[in-house]
Amino acid sequence: MTKDARAELIRHCGALLLFAVLLRFIISYGPMLLQKAVSIASTPAYISFLYYLNTGQILRIQDFPEQNETSKNDIVLRFRDLPPVEEPEKPTPLKEPAKKQELSFSQEEAEKIVISGNCKLPYDKDALLHAELPNITLSEQPTVLIVHTHASESYAEEPGWEYQESDTYRTLDQNHSVVRLGAVIAEILESHGIAVIHDTTVNDYPSYNGSYGRMETIISDYLAKYPSIEMVLDVHRDAFELADGTFGGTAVDGTAQIMLVVGTNEGGLYHPNWQDNLSFALKLDGLMNRENPNLSKGIRLCSQRYNTHLTPRSVLVEFGAAGDTMQEALRAADAFGAVLSDLLLASVE
């Protein structure tokens, strides 16, 4: 027998010996250990501990009913005193539903809507603009979800509006970032009877990379929890450098301009409803032009999808640019909130 064969034989014999010892231990002590485990699992303290791990609530041992004298081998689980499981709330219609408003655009208004961007996919602008709006039902459950993939985006400082930067034109102070714009829009929508969730999670700090992936998870969780959500609005601000190296602004007459960004599937990612998003954005842009000719910078149609595949009314909105001030951006958010309210009310059944 070779040296390697002897070594292999010794390893096999050692494994068999170890298995024999383990089997003997299980036969000798297994029943006793199992009985001990059953005894521990049946105690109120253990059940209370498991309840805390699963719910985060403390179930006091004294809240358990006294256990009857039963066989010590029986597991007695007593959950009669636990809080009842609440059924998901069904949408409650508003007491006075808003009346659906008629919405139409002239040829002149259609021609004023400018579409730019790197997307080369074909679409029929006039047909999408005049397409009928899908109906929505307003209720006490949320209809609109406002998020911020880049929540730390901020604006040029001015006297009385200074803030601490976390990076260039970025801050974690949400009174001076785009999060404040989201709060303004949410308040306006709610004043029109449109229920809103405003998520203020910071996804772009300390790492900017991966922000859209993290936001997709957040949005998906909200949509699963609240099927009543009809629209996702991702609030941003733009940034571009001028010839002298400074960051430019967009404001006209003290109000920052707004760019609507619509994603597509041209980049290869799944996005079956991008034309529905574009149809909604066209109507939104048309109404902005109608209310304030200087408010809109048009629509940017992109080959990337930017999480706009998650609902048929998803749209990313850039309020001004880094060179604008917060006050200029707030005026834009105020005007946008009113226009968005009108468009959503035009969709009410």
Side-chain angles (χ1 to χ4, degrees):
M1 181 180 294
T2 65
K3 183 177 180 180
D4 289 341
R6 284 198 302 273
E8 184 69 19
L9 180 61
I10 291 173
R11 282 196 293 271
H12 283 297
C13 290
L16 289 173
L17 179 61
L18 181 61
F19 177 74
V21 172
L22 181 61
L23 183 62
R24 179 61 182 270
F25 179 83
I26 293 174
I27 293 173
S28 301
Y29 298 100
M32 180 182 67
L33 292 175
L34 179 61
Q35 184 176 3
K36 183 67 174 177
V38 168
S39 176
I40 293 174
S42 64
T43 61
Y46 181 77
I47 295 171
S48 179
F49 175 68
L50 289 182
Y51 181 74
Y52 175 76
L53 289 180
N54 281 277
T55 68
Q57 300 179 27
I58 297 176
L59 183 67
R60 298 172 303 173
I61 296 178
Q62 57 266 34
D63 289 340
F64 279 77
E66 294 184 2
Q67 298 187 25
N68 296 324
E69 289 296 328
T70 58
S71 170
K72 292 184 179 181
N73 293 327
D74 293 336
I75 301 176
V76 182
L77 302 180
R78 299 181 180 275
F79 288 101
R80 290 180 296 175
D81 289 345
L82 299 186
V85 177
E86 296 183 2
E87 294 293 330
E89 294 184 7
K90 297 181 179 179
T92 304
L94 297 177
K95 294 181 180 179
E96 296 182 0
K99 295 182 180 180
K100 185 170 183 177
Q101 302 176 12
E102 294 298 326
L103 185 65
S104 61
F105 297 93
S106 67
Q107 187 59 37
E108 182 182 1
E109 288 179 318
E111 292 173 356
K112 288 182 179 179
I113 300 175
V114 178
I115 301 179
S116 61
N118 61 358
C119 179
K120 299 299 188 293
L121 294 176
Y123 57 88
D124 188 330
K125 173 183 170 182
D126 286 340
L128 292 174
L129 174 62
H130 298 291
E132 185 176 354
L133 278 168
N135 290 331
I136 64 173
T137 301
L138 297 184
S139 71
E140 294 178 356
Q141 296 297 298
T143 298
V144 176
L145 170 62
I146 299 176
V147 299
H148 305 275
T149 299
H150 300 150
S152 69
E153 290 178 333
S154 59
Y155 296 90
E157 296 184 51
E158 59 180 330
W161 293 77
E162 298 87 357
Y163 57 85
Q164 182 177 354
E165 287 189 327
S166 58
D167 203 343
T168 305
Y169 287 98
R170 293 182 179 274
T171 181
L172 299 180
D173 182 351
Q174 296 189 342
N175 283 320
H176 295 276
S177 72
V178 292
V179 173
R180 182 165 180 174
L181 308 184
V184 169
I185 298 168
E187 184 177 355
I188 294 172
L189 293 176
E190 288 172 344
S191 72
H192 287 81
I194 302 169
V196 179
I197 291 178
H198 181 205
D199 182 88
T200 61
T201 304
V202 178
N203 291 289
D204 59 336
Y205 182 88
S207 175
Y208 182 86
N209 295 330
S211 300
Y212 281 98
R214 291 187 286 273
M215 180 51 73
E216 181 177 8
T217 299
I218 291 173
I219 295 173
S220 297
D221 288 345
Y222 275 120
L223 294 177
K225 185 175 182 180
Y226 301 104
S228 58
I229 293 175
E230 300 276 359
M231 177 190 181
V232 178
L233 180 69
D234 194 355
V235 176
H236 292 249
R237 64 108 175 96
D238 199 2
F240 56 88
E241 288 190 19
L242 301 175
D244 61 0
T246 61
F247 282 88
T250 68
V252 177
D253 296 331
T255 301
Q257 291 186 301
I258 296 171
M259 172 72 78
L260 304 180
V261 179
V262 177
T264 70
N265 57 12
E266 187 179 36
L269 295 177
Y270 176 80
H271 194 341
N273 54 295
W274 69 268
Q275 294 207 38
D276 293 329
N277 293 159
L278 179 55
S279 177
F280 185 79
L282 285 165
K283 296 174 176 60
L284 188 55
D285 196 74
L287 287 179
M288 282 197 292
N289 289 331
R290 181 182 296 175
E291 295 299 322
N292 184 342
N294 295 321
L295 185 61
S296 173
K297 285 185 67 179
I299 299 172
R300 184 187 301 154
L301 193 62
C302 301
S303 59
Q304 302 86 351
R305 68 180 185 184
Y306 297 124
N307 290 329
T308 57
H309 64 294
L310 297 172
T311 71
R313 293 180 179 83
S314 289
V315 62
L316 187 154
V317 186
E318 295 178 345
F319 289 86
D324 294 310
T325 66
M326 172 58 78
Q327 293 190 80
E328 291 167 338
L330 286 171
R331 295 186 190 104
D334 191 66
F336 178 85
V339 171
L340 179 59
S341 298
D342 289 342
L343 183 56
L344 291 175
L345 292 177
S347 309
V348 176
E349 288 183 297

